[in-house]
Amino acid sequence: MAVSLPNSDQPSPFAIELRRVTKQFGATAALRDVTASFAPGRLFLILGDNGVGKSTLMRIIAGLAPPTRGTIIVFGAVFGSGESSAWKRRIGYMPHESLLYDEMSGLENLRYFAQLYGITDQAACERAMAHVGLDAKLPRRVGQYSQGMRQRLSLARAMVHDPELLLLDEPFSNVDITSARQMSSRLATMRDAGKTILVITHQPQLLEGIADEAMYLAAGRIVDRGSWDSDAVAQFEASTLRVRIRIGAGGR
């Protein structure tokens, strides 16, 4: 992996910088020369069809996978440098899989994950559960949770250590609309408090009026980027409808 340092000793004005990031799996390129920057205190949507590299990009930013080529700078630290382990503690990552332990209760799960960050205060775990609409006193094991409850607990797990950067991969998957809107409202509160949030979702309409920007990926490349306002939402919905019509017509 090629690692190049920032061009200046001045603090970066960005929470994240990606410089020509490429990720290959054998002969297949999941990401191709992705260059982008993300300002702090904003909520960004990462949109695109399945298999275009969205989750791979999220894992690379989280420090869970190295790029094949290129440079990732998070909070001024370069991926692979001696400082990169420090910024990982400033990140909350919610993957598409819940990573929860089914035999534990929700609170027991959060207490375990909080301890990995050196947090022993149970109140922090209870607050995280309350923020996503879960009862910390519920003795039910996570294996008996509904899918929506698992998603909300997974979000609580990602934010229990109060991270500055939150990376969410399909947080609204299988969540009922009321809970999803509550989660969206919580994300808005966190963004307004100065957190930087990246969200992969196939339901971006839930973040209308909340997300600041949307970035579109196709075939591992950024193909478009712009504000996520009512016009962008309408264009996205129209594009999605056209795809559904084509599928319903047998792809003609």
Side-chain angles (χ1 to χ4, degrees), residues 121-173:
D121 181 11
Q122 180 170 304
C125 302
E126 294 174 348
R127 285 194 299 270
M129 293 188 71
H131 283 322
V132 298
L134 292 175
D135 183 0
K137 296 181 181 179
L138 184 67
R140 187 188 310 173
R141 293 182 179 182
V142 169
Q144 298 174 312
Y145 274 20
S146 67
Q147 183 59 31
M149 292 174 69
R150 292 176 70 90
Q151 286 293 96
R152 284 186 280 161
L153 184 62
S154 185
L155 175 59
R157 179 194 59 76
M159 64 189 222
V160 68
H161 58 298
D162 193 26
E164 297 171 57
L165 172 62
L166 200 57
L167 307 172
L168 310 178
D169 193 344
E170 294 294 350
F172 308 121
S173 178

Side-chain angles (χ1 to χ4, degrees), residues 48-160:
D49 294 335
N50 292 332
V52 299
K54 303 187 301 296
S55 294
T56 298
L57 179 63
M58 200 75 95
R59 284 180 54 81
I60 287 176
I61 295 172
L64 298 175
T68 304
R69 294 185 299 277
T71 304
I72 301 95
I73 305 169
V74 180
F75 299 126
V78 180
F79 184 100
S81 70
E83 299 176 353
S84 60
S85 59
W87 58 249
K88 290 180 183 179
R89 298 179 63 85
R90 300 163 69 182
I91 295 174
Y93 173 55
M94 177 183 174
H96 201 22
E97 305 80 18
S98 69
L99 302 183
L100 301 170
Y101 292 95
D102 286 350
E103 67 275 14
M104 295 182 180
S105 70
L107 182 59
E108 288 171 339
N109 265 273
L110 285 202
R111 288 173 60 187
Y112 170 76
F113 285 107
Q115 288 173 4
L116 298 179
Y117 293 98
I119 299 171
T120 58
D121 181 11
Q122 180 170 304
C125 302
E126 294 174 348
R127 285 194 299 270
M129 293 188 71
H131 283 322
V132 298
L134 292 175
D135 183 0
K137 296 181 181 179
L138 184 67
R140 187 188 310 173
R141 293 182 179 182
V142 169
Q144 298 174 312
Y145 274 20
S146 67
Q147 183 59 31
M149 292 174 69
R150 292 176 70 90
Q151 286 293 96
R152 284 186 280 161
L153 184 62
S154 185
L155 175 59
R157 179 194 59 76
M159 64 189 222
V160 68

Side-chain angles (χ1 to χ4, degrees), residues 211-227:
D212 297 291
E213 295 184 48
M215 186 174 79
Y216 299 81
L217 291 180
R221 299 181 186 274
I222 299 174
V223 294
D224 197 9
R225 182 171 176 173
S227 61

